[in-house]
Amino acid sequence: MRQIAEVRRLLHSGKLDDLLFRLSGDKTGLSPDRERLLRMLDRFAAKFGGDREIAIFSASGRTELGVNHTDHQRGHVLAASVNLDILAVVAKRTDRTIRVQSEGHPFDVISLDELLPIPEDQELHAGELVRGVVARYGELGYPLATGFDAYTTSRVMKGSGLSSSAAFEVLIGTICNALYADYAFDAVKLAEIGQYAENVFYRKPCGLMDQMASSVGGVVAIDFANPAKPSVKPIAFDFSNTGYALCIVDTGGSHASLTEEYAAIPREMRAVVSYFGKEVLFEITEEQVMGAIPALRAACGDRAVLRALHFFREDGRAQGESDALERNDFSSFLQLVQSSGQSSYCLLQNVYPSSMPQHQPVSIALAVGSTILGGRGAIRVHGGGFGSTIQAFVPTVLLSQFCSKMEAALGRRCCHVLRIRPVGGQTVLI
């Protein structure tokens, strides 16, 4: 670990530029990245003391490249880490306390002697994700003997569908792996630790895709057929040479109070599969569902049947998308992404909350964006759905027009152009 003054000198000299480039993938953006880190060093020093030895860590946001809600049914996904990340400046402590100051959020203090989930009647905070990750390290044989201080800042917009929670979990796991476990865990295991924290300590029934994409990095095709050991296959594809830009559009919606909407998707899918005496849709076939539709409609309801059909078709699309990228067939990839968006809208039905049909910002964004694209590229709901973002692959010749018209309809700075980040959870400097 390094003294803060030494890290400042390294930043000013440009000796950390190669590390910063690995995180952003954009050499033109190195100056703002240096300023960001220098500002963080100042704020860490002001909060925790300027004479500390520190390390720096990063974890990225993630994007689904064209798949929706297949991971929790042990299907296939195609995802990627992006250049928007959470960055942490960290120093070890000598006592059994963890203190985390996330910029713009309340101060979290966690005792290493209190690592049980809080009761269900208590309000959840981000500190519970820290507690969950640290608790899981202890269960896996790597209990933290002492705590740490951390100052974090995030470019992963909350509610953006880029999974800020997964990035935060991977960040904390990466810190613990480096400082307390001598890098005992690989990226896949760090993803599983993050999912555990979110499922058990944050009480959110997420799958593993978000944490996996954030942790592994780059473009990855993941097969969850064996949940104990998912198959992770890196896809070597350069999106920068396609003539298209990857855009995320913030529609101004919110994920607040939508946990039940998210939870209903796996619950209804499992209601269908339980009819056949199984646990997840991976264990049955689309033909079985099609052959039992009258009975399934009566037992589970129409929406559950439609969501099950979405899974089977989306699972095939996920494999088709990764195959298309591997053979450098970007046109076929875009067609599959567009089909995925149509399936999410019509079968999965996660574009707007069923409880609020009068409030449909994602539907509006899809309608406006489709008109601008005019059949070119692809556009779809992004992330778990119901909330605030859409994803679009926009021809670069249309990018300026697309962003300006989307912002005219939905608000200034709603359109974000992303790059695929080649690395996942990272020890930047130690």
Side-chain angles (χ1 to χ4, degrees):
M1 299 178 74
R2 316 276 186 119
Q3 290 286 341
I4 292 177
E6 180 188 357
V7 178
R8 283 198 184 98
R9 287 194 296 272
L10 290 171
L11 283 166
H12 282 300
S13 70
K15 291 182 178 179
L16 297 184
D17 284 0
D18 287 345
L19 291 171
L20 296 178
F21 175 66
R22 280 174 59 79
L23 302 184
S24 70
D26 179 16
K27 289 185 177 179
T28 63
L30 291 181
S31 182
D33 287 336
R34 284 192 217 104
E35 293 302 317
R36 179 190 184 200
L37 255 177
L38 287 166
R39 185 175 64 252
M40 288 184 68
L41 293 176
D42 290 341
R43 293 179 178 177
F44 178 93
K47 189 74 179 181
F48 300 117
D51 60 346
R52 308 284 295 278
E53 289 190 341
I54 62 163
I56 301 171
F57 301 90
S58 169
S60 69
R62 71 96 187 98
T63 181
E64 302 167 326
L65 289 176
V67 190
N68 228 206
H69 284 279
T70 52
D71 56 335
H72 49 73
Q73 297 301 301
R74 289 170 53 189
H76 296 77
V77 304
L78 183 68
S81 56
V82 297
N83 59 306
L84 301 180
D85 71 341
I86 306 179
L87 200 62
V89 176
V90 181
K92 294 181 77 170
R93 295 174 59 87
T94 57
D95 61 12
R96 294 181 58 76
T97 300
I98 294 173
R99 301 187 299 174
V100 179
Q101 177 65 73
S102 296
E103 189 173 68
H105 296 277
F107 194 50
D108 289 306
V109 180
I110 295 95
S111 170
L112 294 179
D113 298 316
E114 299 175 3
L115 295 180
L116 294 175
I118 64 173
E120 292 196 8
D121 60 351
Q122 292 186 21
E123 185 179 357
L124 292 170
H125 299 282
E128 297 313 306
L129 296 176
V130 180
R131 196 189 311 274
V133 169
V134 173
R136 188 60 175 156
Y137 263 80
E139 292 171 2
L140 294 171
Y142 291 89
L144 274 63
T146 63
F148 58 85
D149 290 330
Y151 185 91
T152 78
T153 184
S154 178
R155 287 178 173 167
V156 187
M157 302 88 71
K158 191 173 183 181
S160 65
L162 298 173
S163 199
S164 57
S165 59
F168 186 71
E169 294 150 15
V170 170
L171 179 74
I172 299 301
T174 302
I175 292 168
C176 294
N177 201 33
L179 299 185
Y180 302 98
D182 196 24
Y183 300 100
F185 300 122
D186 62 13
V188 172
K189 192 62 182 181
L190 290 179
E192 293 170 354
I193 291 170
Q195 182 199 27
Y196 171 88
E198 188 152 346
N199 289 172
V200 177
F201 280 73
Y202 210 66
R203 302 196 290 270
K204 186 175 179 180
C206 69
L208 185 57
M209 181 193 68
D210 295 351
Q211 293 83 358
M212 193 75 81
S214 176
S215 184
V216 174
V219 179
V220 288
I222 310 170
D223 181 355
F224 289 104
N226 180 357
K229 193 173 182 180
S231 171
V232 181
K233 180 181 180 181
I235 303 293
F237 184 84
D238 187 357
F239 281 86
S240 66
N241 293 325
T242 62
Y244 286 80
L246 172 60
C247 294
I248 295 293
V249 179
D250 184 351
T251 69
S254 171
H255 285 275
S257 305
L258 293 178
T259 297
E260 173 53 29
E261 294 278 2
Y262 294 122
I265 292 176
R267 183 174 65 242
E268 291 180 9
M269 288 181 173
R270 289 189 176 106
V272 170
V273 79
S274 67
Y275 175 87
F276 300 96
K278 303 293 184 180
E279 294 184 359
V280 291
L281 288 169
F282 165 79
E283 299 176 299
I284 63 172
T285 65
E286 182 177 359
E287 289 72 23
Q288 286 177 277
V289 172
M290 292 294 292
I293 281 181
L296 288 171
R297 292 181 68 191
C300 310
D302 289 355
R303 189 173 71 172
V305 176
L306 292 170
R307 285 175 162 173
L309 293 175
H310 165 84
F311 165 79
F312 293 113
R313 297 168 191 182
E314 191 79 337
D315 192 57
R317 273 188 290 269
Q319 297 170 74
E321 287 165 2
S322 60
D323 290 344
L325 292 182
E326 286 195 301
R327 64 176 185 270
N328 205 34
D329 184 355
F330 196 64
S331 177
S332 293
F333 168 79
L334 290 177
Q335 292 174 15
L336 290 166
V337 172
Q338 189 66 34
S339 295
S340 170
Q342 292 167 353
S343 183
S344 292
Y345 215 147
C346 299
L347 300 183
L348 187 61
Q349 299 180 35
N350 69 332
V351 170
Y352 62 90
S354 59
S355 59
M356 294 184 288
Q358 74 283 2
H359 185 65
Q360 299 190 35
V362 171
S363 304
I364 292 292
L366 291 171
V368 173
S370 296
T371 300
I372 300 167
L373 290 175
R376 290 165 288 185
I379 190 167
R380 60 190 285 274
V381 65
H382 183 253
F386 305 113
S388 62
T389 58
I390 64 168
Q391 176 194 72
F393 288 92
V394 181
T396 52
V397 295
L398 279 181
L399 183 59
S400 178
Q401 179 184 353
F402 180 86
C403 289
S404 63
K405 289 188 175 182
M406 293 300 286
E407 291 185 357
L410 298 165
R412 291 182 64 243
R413 300 177 181 172
C414 70
C415 192
H416 304 274
V417 182
L418 305 183
R419 290 182 300 277
I420 304 301
R421 167 167 146 158
V423 295
Q426 285 285 291
T427 299
V428 180
L429 186 68
I430 195 167

Short mmCIF file of all heavy atoms in Angstrom, two decimals, residues 298-341:
data_model
loop_
_atom_site.label_atom_id
_atom_site.label_comp_id
_atom_site.label_asym_id
_atom_site.label_seq_id
_atom_site.Cartn_x
_atom_site.Cartn_y
_atom_site.Cartn_z
N ALA A 298 -55.07 -22.00 -16.24
CA ALA A 298 -55.97 -22.14 -15.09
C ALA A 298 -55.20 -22.15 -13.77
O ALA A 298 -55.63 -21.57 -12.78
CB ALA A 298 -56.80 -23.41 -15.24
N ALA A 299 -54.03 -22.81 -13.78
CA ALA A 299 -53.28 -22.97 -12.54
C ALA A 299 -52.42 -21.76 -12.20
O ALA A 299 -52.26 -21.41 -11.02
CB ALA A 299 -52.40 -24.22 -12.64
N CYS A 300 -51.86 -21.10 -13.21
CA CYS A 300 -50.84 -20.06 -12.97
C CYS A 300 -51.22 -18.68 -13.46
O CYS A 300 -50.61 -17.69 -13.02
CB CYS A 300 -49.52 -20.46 -13.64
SG CYS A 300 -48.96 -22.13 -13.30
N GLY A 301 -52.17 -18.59 -14.38
CA GLY A 301 -52.51 -17.31 -14.97
C GLY A 301 -51.80 -17.09 -16.29
O GLY A 301 -50.72 -17.64 -16.54
N ASP A 302 -52.39 -16.25 -17.13
CA ASP A 302 -51.85 -16.04 -18.47
C ASP A 302 -50.47 -15.40 -18.47
O ASP A 302 -49.60 -15.77 -19.27
CB ASP A 302 -52.80 -15.14 -19.27
CG ASP A 302 -54.10 -15.86 -19.65
OD1 ASP A 302 -54.20 -17.08 -19.36
OD2 ASP A 302 -55.00 -15.22 -20.21
N ARG A 303 -50.25 -14.41 -17.59
CA ARG A 303 -48.96 -13.72 -17.61
C ARG A 303 -47.82 -14.68 -17.28
O ARG A 303 -46.73 -14.59 -17.87
CB ARG A 303 -48.96 -12.54 -16.63
CG ARG A 303 -47.72 -11.66 -16.76
CD ARG A 303 -47.81 -10.41 -15.92
NE ARG A 303 -47.70 -10.71 -14.50
CZ ARG A 303 -47.59 -9.78 -13.55
NH1 ARG A 303 -47.59 -8.50 -13.89
NH2 ARG A 303 -47.49 -10.12 -12.28
N ALA A 304 -48.05 -15.60 -16.36
CA ALA A 304 -47.01 -16.57 -16.02
C ALA A 304 -46.65 -17.43 -17.22
O ALA A 304 -45.47 -17.73 -17.47
CB ALA A 304 -47.47 -17.44 -14.86
N VAL A 305 -47.65 -17.84 -17.99
CA VAL A 305 -47.39 -18.64 -19.19
C VAL A 305 -46.58 -17.84 -20.20
O VAL A 305 -45.61 -18.34 -20.79
CB VAL A 305 -48.71 -19.13 -19.80
CG1 VAL A 305 -48.44 -19.89 -21.10
CG2 VAL A 305 -49.47 -20.02 -18.82
N LEU A 306 -46.97 -16.60 -20.42
CA LEU A 306 -46.25 -15.76 -21.37
C LEU A 306 -44.80 -15.54 -20.94
O LEU A 306 -43.88 -15.56 -21.76
CB LEU A 306 -46.96 -14.42 -21.52
CG LEU A 306 -48.34 -14.46 -22.20
CD1 LEU A 306 -49.04 -13.12 -22.06
CD2 LEU A 306 -48.20 -14.86 -23.66
N ARG A 307 -44.59 -15.34 -19.65
CA ARG A 307 -43.23 -15.15 -19.16
C ARG A 307 -42.39 -16.40 -19.31
O ARG A 307 -41.19 -16.32 -19.60
CB ARG A 307 -43.28 -14.68 -17.69
CG ARG A 307 -43.70 -13.22 -17.57
CD ARG A 307 -43.89 -12.74 -16.15
NE ARG A 307 -43.87 -11.26 -16.13
CZ ARG A 307 -44.15 -10.52 -15.07
NH1 ARG A 307 -44.45 -11.08 -13.91
NH2 ARG A 307 -44.09 -9.20 -15.15
N ALA A 308 -43.00 -17.55 -19.14
CA ALA A 308 -42.26 -18.81 -19.37
C ALA A 308 -41.87 -18.94 -20.84
O ALA A 308 -40.73 -19.32 -21.17
CB ALA A 308 -43.11 -19.99 -18.93
N LEU A 309 -42.78 -18.61 -21.75
CA LEU A 309 -42.46 -18.69 -23.18
C LEU A 309 -41.35 -17.70 -23.53
O LEU A 309 -40.48 -18.00 -24.37
CB LEU A 309 -43.72 -18.41 -24.01
CG LEU A 309 -44.82 -19.47 -23.90
CD1 LEU A 309 -46.06 -19.03 -24.67
CD2 LEU A 309 -44.32 -20.83 -24.42
N HIS A 310 -41.36 -16.53 -22.90
CA HIS A 310 -40.27 -15.58 -23.11
C HIS A 310 -38.93 -16.21 -22.76
O HIS A 310 -37.96 -16.05 -23.52
CB HIS A 310 -40.47 -14.33 -22.26
CG HIS A 310 -39.23 -13.48 -22.15
ND1 HIS A 310 -38.88 -12.54 -23.11
CD2 HIS A 310 -38.25 -13.44 -21.21
CE1 HIS A 310 -37.75 -11.97 -22.76
NE2 HIS A 310 -37.33 -12.50 -21.61
N PHE A 311 -38.87 -16.92 -21.66
CA PHE A 311 -37.59 -17.51 -21.25
C PHE A 311 -37.03 -18.41 -22.33
O PHE A 311 -35.86 -18.31 -22.70
CB PHE A 311 -37.72 -18.30 -19.94
CG PHE A 311 -36.54 -19.20 -19.69
CD1 PHE A 311 -35.36 -18.68 -19.19
CD2 PHE A 311 -36.58 -20.54 -20.03
CE1 PHE A 311 -34.24 -19.48 -19.01
CE2 PHE A 311 -35.47 -21.36 -19.85
CZ PHE A 311 -34.30 -20.82 -19.33
N PHE A 312 -37.84 -19.33 -22.85
CA PHE A 312 -37.32 -20.31 -23.82
C PHE A 312 -36.82 -19.61 -25.08
O PHE A 312 -35.74 -19.93 -25.60
CB PHE A 312 -38.41 -21.31 -24.18
CG PHE A 312 -38.80 -22.20 -23.04
CD1 PHE A 312 -40.06 -22.12 -22.47
CD2 PHE A 312 -37.89 -23.11 -22.50
CE1 PHE A 312 -40.42 -22.94 -21.41
CE2 PHE A 312 -38.24 -23.93 -21.44
CZ PHE A 312 -39.51 -23.84 -20.89
N ARG A 313 -37.56 -18.63 -25.55
CA ARG A 313 -37.17 -17.95 -26.78
C ARG A 313 -35.97 -17.03 -26.52
O ARG A 313 -35.08 -16.91 -27.36
CB ARG A 313 -38.36 -17.18 -27.34
CG ARG A 313 -39.49 -18.16 -27.71
CD ARG A 313 -40.81 -17.51 -28.01
NE ARG A 313 -41.85 -18.53 -28.09
CZ ARG A 313 -43.12 -18.29 -28.38
NH1 ARG A 313 -43.52 -17.04 -28.61
NH2 ARG A 313 -44.00 -19.27 -28.44
N GLU A 314 -35.95 -16.39 -25.38
CA GLU A 314 -34.85 -15.50 -25.03
C GLU A 314 -33.56 -16.28 -24.80
O GLU A 314 -32.47 -15.81 -25.15
CB GLU A 314 -35.22 -14.70 -23.78
CG GLU A 314 -34.27 -13.56 -23.46
CD GLU A 314 -34.52 -12.32 -24.32
OE1 GLU A 314 -35.10 -12.44 -25.42
OE2 GLU A 314 -34.11 -11.23 -23.90
N ASP A 315 -33.68 -17.47 -24.23
CA ASP A 315 -32.50 -18.30 -24.00
C ASP A 315 -31.84 -18.66 -25.33
O ASP A 315 -30.61 -18.63 -25.47
CB ASP A 315 -32.89 -19.56 -23.23
CG ASP A 315 -31.69 -20.31 -22.71
OD1 ASP A 315 -30.88 -19.71 -21.98
OD2 ASP A 315 -31.54 -21.50 -23.04
N GLY A 316 -32.66 -18.98 -26.33
CA GLY A 316 -32.11 -19.27 -27.65
C GLY A 316 -31.49 -18.03 -28.28
O GLY A 316 -30.44 -18.12 -28.93
N ARG A 317 -32.13 -16.87 -28.07
CA ARG A 317 -31.56 -15.63 -28.62
C ARG A 317 -30.21 -15.33 -27.99
O ARG A 317 -29.29 -14.84 -28.66
CB ARG A 317 -32.52 -14.46 -28.38
CG ARG A 317 -33.56 -14.28 -29.47
CD ARG A 317 -34.35 -13.01 -29.27
NE ARG A 317 -35.22 -13.07 -28.12
CZ ARG A 317 -36.48 -13.49 -28.14
NH1 ARG A 317 -37.02 -13.87 -29.28
NH2 ARG A 317 -37.21 -13.51 -27.04
N ALA A 318 -30.07 -15.57 -26.69
CA ALA A 318 -28.79 -15.30 -26.02
C ALA A 318 -27.67 -16.08 -26.68
O ALA A 318 -26.58 -15.55 -26.92
CB ALA A 318 -28.89 -15.67 -24.54
N GLN A 319 -27.93 -17.35 -26.98
CA GLN A 319 -26.90 -18.16 -27.64
C GLN A 319 -26.67 -17.68 -29.07
O GLN A 319 -25.53 -17.65 -29.55
CB GLN A 319 -27.35 -19.62 -27.62
CG GLN A 319 -27.47 -20.18 -26.21
CD GLN A 319 -28.14 -21.55 -26.19
OE1 GLN A 319 -27.53 -22.55 -26.57
NE2 GLN A 319 -29.38 -21.61 -25.75
N GLY A 320 -27.75 -17.27 -29.74
CA GLY A 320 -27.61 -16.77 -31.09
C GLY A 320 -26.82 -15.46 -31.15
O GLY A 320 -26.02 -15.24 -32.07
N GLU A 321 -27.00 -14.61 -30.16
CA GLU A 321 -26.28 -13.34 -30.12
C GLU A 321 -24.78 -13.55 -29.94
O GLU A 321 -23.96 -12.93 -30.62
CB GLU A 321 -26.82 -12.47 -28.98
CG GLU A 321 -28.19 -11.88 -29.27
CD GLU A 321 -28.88 -11.33 -28.03
OE1 GLU A 321 -28.27 -11.37 -26.94
OE2 GLU A 321 -30.02 -10.86 -28.16
N SER A 322 -24.42 -14.44 -29.01
CA SER A 322 -22.99 -14.69 -28.80
C SER A 322 -22.37 -15.35 -30.03
O SER A 322 -21.24 -15.03 -30.42
CB SER A 322 -22.76 -15.54 -27.54
OG SER A 322 -23.40 -16.79 -27.66
N ASP A 323 -23.12 -16.26 -30.66
CA ASP A 323 -22.62 -16.89 -31.89
C ASP A 323 -22.42 -15.85 -33.00
O ASP A 323 -21.42 -15.89 -33.73
CB ASP A 323 -23.59 -17.97 -32.37
CG ASP A 323 -23.61 -19.19 -31.46
OD1 ASP A 323 -22.68 -19.35 -30.65
OD2 ASP A 323 -24.58 -19.98 -31.56
N ALA A 324 -23.36 -14.92 -33.11
CA ALA A 324 -23.25 -13.89 -34.15
C ALA A 324 -22.01 -13.01 -33.94
O ALA A 324 -21.30 -12.69 -34.89
CB ALA A 324 -24.51 -13.03 -34.16
N LEU A 325 -21.74 -12.64 -32.70
CA LEU A 325 -20.55 -11.83 -32.42
C LEU A 325 -19.28 -12.61 -32.72
O LEU A 325 -18.31 -12.05 -33.26
CB LEU A 325 -20.56 -11.35 -30.97
CG LEU A 325 -21.64 -10.33 -30.59
CD1 LEU A 325 -21.49 -9.93 -29.13
CD2 LEU A 325 -21.61 -9.11 -31.49
N GLU A 326 -19.27 -13.89 -32.38
CA GLU A 326 -18.07 -14.69 -32.62
C GLU A 326 -17.76 -14.83 -34.11
O GLU A 326 -16.59 -14.93 -34.50
CB GLU A 326 -18.22 -16.06 -31.98
CG GLU A 326 -18.08 -16.04 -30.46
CD GLU A 326 -17.87 -17.43 -29.89
OE1 GLU A 326 -18.74 -18.29 -30.10
OE2 GLU A 326 -16.84 -17.63 -29.23
N ARG A 327 -18.80 -14.85 -34.95
CA ARG A 327 -18.54 -14.94 -36.39
C ARG A 327 -18.56 -13.57 -37.06
O ARG A 327 -18.61 -13.46 -38.28
CB ARG A 327 -19.54 -15.88 -37.06
CG ARG A 327 -20.99 -15.44 -37.03
CD ARG A 327 -21.88 -16.41 -37.81
NE ARG A 327 -23.25 -15.94 -37.89
CZ ARG A 327 -24.20 -16.22 -37.02
NH1 ARG A 327 -23.95 -17.01 -35.99
NH2 ARG A 327 -25.43 -15.74 -37.18
N ASN A 328 -18.55 -12.51 -36.23
CA ASN A 328 -18.46 -11.13 -36.70
C ASN A 328 -19.66 -10.73 -37.55
O ASN A 328 -19.53 -9.93 -38.50
CB ASN A 328 -17.15 -10.90 -37.46
CG ASN A 328 -16.71 -9.45 -37.44
OD1 ASN A 328 -16.91 -8.75 -36.45
ND2 ASN A 328 -16.12 -8.99 -38.52
N ASP A 329 -20.83 -11.25 -37.20
CA ASP A 329 -22.06 -10.96 -37.93
C ASP A 329 -22.89 -9.99 -37.10
O ASP A 329 -23.84 -10.38 -36.42
CB ASP A 329 -22.82 -12.26 -38.20
CG ASP A 329 -24.07 -12.06 -39.05
OD1 ASP A 329 -24.40 -10.90 -39.37
OD2 ASP A 329 -24.73 -13.07 -39.37
N PHE A 330 -22.53 -8.72 -37.16
CA PHE A 330 -23.18 -7.73 -36.30
C PHE A 330 -24.62 -7.47 -36.73
O PHE A 330 -25.48 -7.14 -35.90
CB PHE A 330 -22.38 -6.42 -36.30
CG PHE A 330 -22.74 -5.50 -35.18
CD1 PHE A 330 -22.51 -5.86 -33.85
CD2 PHE A 330 -23.31 -4.26 -35.43
CE1 PHE A 330 -22.84 -5.01 -32.81
CE2 PHE A 330 -23.65 -3.41 -34.40
CZ PHE A 330 -23.41 -3.78 -33.07
N SER A 331 -24.92 -7.60 -37.99
CA SER A 331 -26.29 -7.41 -38.48
C SER A 331 -27.25 -8.41 -37.83
O SER A 331 -28.33 -8.04 -37.37
CB SER A 331 -26.33 -7.52 -40.00
OG SER A 331 -27.66 -7.41 -40.47
N SER A 332 -26.84 -9.69 -37.79
CA SER A 332 -27.68 -10.71 -37.14
C SER A 332 -27.81 -10.45 -35.65
O SER A 332 -28.87 -10.65 -35.06
CB SER A 332 -27.11 -12.10 -37.39
OG SER A 332 -27.20 -12.45 -38.76
N PHE A 333 -26.72 -10.00 -35.03
CA PHE A 333 -26.76 -9.65 -33.61
C PHE A 333 -27.81 -8.58 -33.35
O PHE A 333 -28.63 -8.70 -32.43
CB PHE A 333 -25.38 -9.17 -33.16
CG PHE A 333 -25.36 -8.54 -31.80
CD1 PHE A 333 -25.37 -9.32 -30.66
CD2 PHE A 333 -25.35 -7.14 -31.67
CE1 PHE A 333 -25.37 -8.73 -29.39
CE2 PHE A 333 -25.34 -6.56 -30.42
CZ PHE A 333 -25.36 -7.34 -29.28
N LEU A 334 -27.84 -7.53 -34.17
CA LEU A 334 -28.80 -6.45 -33.98
C LEU A 334 -30.24 -6.94 -34.14
O LEU A 334 -31.13 -6.53 -33.40
CB LEU A 334 -28.52 -5.31 -34.96
CG LEU A 334 -27.26 -4.48 -34.71
CD1 LEU A 334 -27.09 -3.45 -35.81
CD2 LEU A 334 -27.29 -3.81 -33.35
N GLN A 335 -30.46 -7.82 -35.10
CA GLN A 335 -31.81 -8.36 -35.29
C GLN A 335 -32.27 -9.12 -34.06
O GLN A 335 -33.44 -9.01 -33.64
CB GLN A 335 -31.83 -9.27 -36.52
CG GLN A 335 -31.65 -8.54 -37.84
CD GLN A 335 -31.54 -9.49 -39.01
OE1 GLN A 335 -31.87 -10.67 -38.92
NE2 GLN A 335 -31.08 -8.98 -40.15
N LEU A 336 -31.37 -9.88 -33.46
CA LEU A 336 -31.71 -10.64 -32.25
C LEU A 336 -31.96 -9.71 -31.07
O LEU A 336 -32.86 -9.96 -30.25
CB LEU A 336 -30.60 -11.63 -31.94
CG LEU A 336 -30.49 -12.81 -32.92
CD1 LEU A 336 -29.16 -13.53 -32.73
CD2 LEU A 336 -31.65 -13.78 -32.72
N VAL A 337 -31.18 -8.64 -30.95
CA VAL A 337 -31.40 -7.67 -29.88
C VAL A 337 -32.78 -7.03 -30.02
O VAL A 337 -33.52 -6.86 -29.04
CB VAL A 337 -30.30 -6.58 -29.89
CG1 VAL A 337 -30.64 -5.45 -28.91
CG2 VAL A 337 -28.95 -7.19 -29.53
N GLN A 338 -33.15 -6.68 -31.23
CA GLN A 338 -34.47 -6.09 -31.47
C GLN A 338 -35.58 -7.07 -31.12
O GLN A 338 -36.59 -6.70 -30.51
CB GLN A 338 -34.59 -5.64 -32.93
CG GLN A 338 -35.84 -4.82 -33.24
CD GLN A 338 -35.86 -3.48 -32.54
OE1 GLN A 338 -34.82 -2.85 -32.35
NE2 GLN A 338 -37.03 -3.05 -32.13
N SER A 339 -35.39 -8.33 -31.48
CA SER A 339 -36.39 -9.36 -31.13
C SER A 339 -36.48 -9.54 -29.62
O SER A 339 -37.57 -9.77 -29.08
CB SER A 339 -36.02 -10.69 -31.79
OG SER A 339 -36.09 -10.59 -33.19
N SER A 340 -35.36 -9.43 -28.93
CA SER A 340 -35.36 -9.52 -27.48
C SER A 340 -36.22 -8.42 -26.88
O SER A 340 -37.01 -8.65 -25.95
CB SER A 340 -33.93 -9.43 -26.95
OG SER A 340 -33.91 -9.29 -25.54
N GLY A 341 -36.06 -7.19 -27.40
CA GLY A 341 -36.85 -6.09 -26.90
C GLY A 341 -38.34 -6.30 -27.12
O GLY A 341 -39.16 -6.00 -26.24
#
